[in-house]
Amino acid sequence: MSKNNFITISNIKIINVQNALIFHDASTAFIDNVIFEDYTEYAISILNSETKDEFIIVNSVFIGSSNSNTIQAIEALNVHLVIKNSQFINNVGPRANSLSFSGQKLHLENNLFQDNITTGHSSTVSISNLNPFDDKHFIKIVNNQFINNQIEVDAFPTISANLTVGSVHSFGEVHISNNIFKQDFSEHSNFRNVSITSSASNDIIVEYLNNTEIGFGRNSQPSLYLSVWDTPVNIKNSIFTGRIQASSSPNTTISNSWFFDIENPDTEVNLNTMITGIPSNNRHDLFIGNPHLDMETLRPIWNSQFKSGLINNGHRDTNGDGIFWWNDPEDSDPDNTRLDIGAVHYQHGIIKHWIFPPLLASKEKDFTIQPRSVESIEWLAFPYLDKMYDPANFPHAQAGYVFGPHNDNNLFGQNEQNEDFLESISWNFNNDQGVIS
């Protein structure tokens, strides 16, 4: 297909072909609910001589050949590509088995990449040559799952990865957030998780936020590899079982992230072993030990035995706009609490917020919660514990907030049976005592 027009393809199944769809200098295409199966070279090949409009792929499935290796599911050159709610399964090939992208703008969201195998020097998803023509590049990879992808054992003495972002040049943004990278096995010592390389530039933004990586700590390669020179890279709120290796990366910072040994989670790992190349003064609020994570759902655990340290422990200003989470929905989980660490958040119950009464307070303050009945509530979260320490608004140890409604959550509100959530809250701090009911 090579005409400059709008092309729509939907609700079909294409099976047992060499190449399913080839686009040459086509302007715009919309592909919806298409199943590609048993292609021996490409499912979709998009080759443009210059950057064109958007290609949008949604709700589609890409299943590689069961009889022979594919080259890759999708190759895309000089295109603005959007892929959402799609699946890439069992693609086996010597290049980027699921997606090879070279262009300006790419948006991957809510996709599944599972059981894909690289037989050569490449990755499950390879993004390269990000050199803008007349506009800055923009890469957004969010809410995807990379499950049990691998490199063929001893296929080549080379390095492969789940996700490779390479040749990033000036004037652009790369956002990798809320993705799950999970390996139940790691058969090859040269399989990484994510690799990012960039030329020297302060005009690039690279963000690695709220990602969960599980199972990459059992081989010689790092989970996250960075070679970005002066490019600022912000790593926040992420979980690692593998190492971070940064080469020539003085402007890389990492904060509010968790490191643990997947085989011995109660053993405290050595952060200096887990992180190399990031200056010590660029490391803040890092945690080690058992994160108490449900290994099936990857959701933080909170029960009668323990509360996961991942809950409400993300950065106060994850997006870096200077507005803290209690006034910035982008820095909050969907339940309006402070961001958790990792890609999957803990869902709080009915009561999500509480606010300190106007009194002197400190971290040692002892609060006693008395429900109306044993069945009325199981757990209370205290996501506002950090708000009173904001030196811009209050002295170090003074809080100035009152109980009451906040973000549609009233601590003394009622349930559907018109019963109060709580009977009272009392405190005992130094010589200060009180009850609110």
Side-chain angles (χ1 to χ4, degrees):
M1 302 180 186
S2 59
K3 294 182 179 179
N4 290 328
N5 51 19
F6 185 87
I7 302 166
T8 299
I9 302 172
S10 61
N11 303 316
I12 63 172
K13 182 175 183 179
I14 304 174
I15 188 171
N16 195 20
V17 296
Q18 182 176 357
N19 298 290
L21 298 173
I22 299 178
F23 298 89
H24 285 171
D25 288 323
S27 179
T28 302
F30 181 73
I31 298 173
D32 182 15
N33 193 29
V34 177
I35 298 175
F36 301 87
E37 187 173 352
D38 256 356
Y39 37 89
T40 57
E41 288 191 2
Y42 301 101
I44 300 176
S45 176
I46 308 166
L47 302 175
N48 290 332
S49 57
E50 60 184 39
T51 301
K52 297 292 182 178
D53 292 332
E54 281 189 336
F55 267 63
I56 301 175
I57 302 170
V58 296
N59 307 317
S60 295
V61 179
F62 299 82
I63 303 175
S65 173
S66 58
N67 299 318
S68 64
N69 290 353
T70 58
I71 295 179
Q72 55 203 186
I74 300 176
E75 68 166 348
L77 175 64
N78 295 335
V79 64
H80 298 170
L81 182 62
V82 178
I83 305 177
K84 294 183 177 181
N85 305 317
S86 296
Q87 299 180 28
F88 296 78
I89 300 172
N90 195 37
N91 292 281
V92 181
R95 302 184 190 174
N97 51 58
S98 295
L99 170 64
S100 175
F101 175 84
S102 180
Q104 286 180 261
K105 296 183 180 179
L106 173 66
H107 184 174
L108 302 180
E109 185 168 356
N110 293 328
N111 302 296
L112 171 66
F113 301 88
Q114 184 167 350
D115 295 326
N116 302 288
I117 300 176
T118 296
T119 61
H121 179 57
S122 192
S123 307
T124 306
V125 174
S126 179
I127 304 167
S128 62
N129 297 323
L130 300 179
N131 194 3
F133 297 95
D134 55 1
D135 192 10
K136 71 178 184 179
H137 62 257
F138 185 85
I139 307 300
K140 184 176 183 180
I141 302 172
V142 58
N143 291 331
N144 302 283
Q145 295 188 48
F146 293 77
I147 309 295
N148 287 341
N149 303 297
Q150 60 176 311
I151 184 174
E152 188 176 76
V153 177
D154 298 325
F156 287 86
T158 187
I159 296 171
S160 182
N162 261 322
L163 172 63
T164 299
V165 182
S167 303
V168 183
H169 299 284
S170 59
F171 302 106
E173 298 181 18
V174 177
H175 299 274
I176 303 171
S177 61
N178 295 94
N179 300 286
I180 292 173
F181 303 95
K182 186 178 181 182
Q183 295 290 107
D184 290 337
F185 50 81
S186 184
E187 296 182 354
H188 199 286
S189 61
N190 284 345
F191 191 77
R192 293 174 179 169
N193 180 28
V194 176
S195 178
I196 303 174
T197 61
S198 169
S199 60
S201 177
N202 289 315
D203 300 320
I204 304 169
I205 297 174
V206 179
E207 292 188 330
Y208 188 92
L209 311 176
N210 281 94
N211 297 290
T212 294
E213 170 267 294
I214 298 293
F216 287 85
R218 290 171 288 184
N219 60 36
S220 62
Q221 287 298 319
S223 170
L224 176 59
Y225 174 79
L226 302 171
S227 180
V228 293
W229 298 91
D230 293 332
T231 299
V233 178
N234 296 317
I235 305 169
K236 295 178 181 178
N237 308 347
S238 293
I239 299 173
F240 296 91
T241 61
R243 298 181 297 111
I244 297 176
Q245 179 180 332
S247 176
S248 302
S249 307
N251 292 330
T252 295
T253 61
I254 180 169
S255 62
N256 298 80
S257 293
W258 200 291
F259 295 81
F260 75 103
D261 185 333
I262 189 172
E263 296 180 340
N264 301 288
D266 291 321
T267 301
E268 294 186 351
V269 298
N270 187 329
L271 282 177
N272 289 326
T273 301
M274 299 296 290
I275 304 173
T276 58
I278 299 178
S280 58
N281 58 345
N282 288 357
R283 309 177 191 179
H284 308 283
D285 298 318
L286 303 181
F287 307 94
I288 57 177
N290 195 333
H292 297 302
L293 193 67
D294 186 314
M295 298 307 293
E296 293 297 323
T297 64
L298 301 184
R299 186 181 301 278
I301 297 173
W302 190 358
N303 57 28
S304 59
Q305 294 179 313
F306 42 71
K307 172 187 175 183
S308 170
L310 303 169
I311 298 172
N312 300 332
N313 219 357
H315 198 281
R316 295 198 300 172
D317 183 20
T318 297
N319 61 10
D321 63 0
I323 303 174
F324 291 155
W325 70 269
W326 51 84
N327 290 319
D328 189 349
E330 291 184 359
D331 291 333
S332 302
D333 278 328
D335 58 12
N336 294 324
T337 59
R338 179 175 176 168
L339 278 174
D340 296 345
I341 296 174
V344 185
H345 77 281
Y346 176 85
Q347 181 65 43
H348 291 281
I350 296 174
I351 298 178
K352 304 182 182 70
H353 292 272
W354 74 296
I355 307 174
F356 277 106
L359 48 86
L360 292 179
S362 78
K363 292 182 179 179
E364 290 74 31
K365 192 170 186 60
D366 179 21
F367 286 90
T368 301
I369 306 297
Q370 178 62 52
R372 284 281 185 194
S373 64
V374 175
E375 294 80 15
S376 64
I377 188 168
E378 293 183 358
W379 296 101
L380 275 174
F382 301 106
Y384 266 60
L385 284 175
D386 61 349
K387 188 169 183 179
M388 66 178 180
Y389 301 115
D390 180 7
N393 296 313
F394 296 98
H396 176 70
Q398 181 176 344
Y401 297 89
V402 296
F403 288 105
H406 182 79
N407 289 352
D408 299 323
N409 298 293
N410 190 344
L411 189 63
F412 291 100
Q414 295 181 328
N415 60 21
E416 295 179 356
Q417 288 74 39
N418 295 321
E419 299 172 336
D420 293 339
F421 289 138
L422 298 179
E423 182 179 71
S424 65
I425 293 181
S426 63
W427 64 88
N428 183 359
F429 172 64
N430 292 341
N431 295 321
D432 179 29
Q433 297 181 356
V435 176
I436 296 180
S437 60

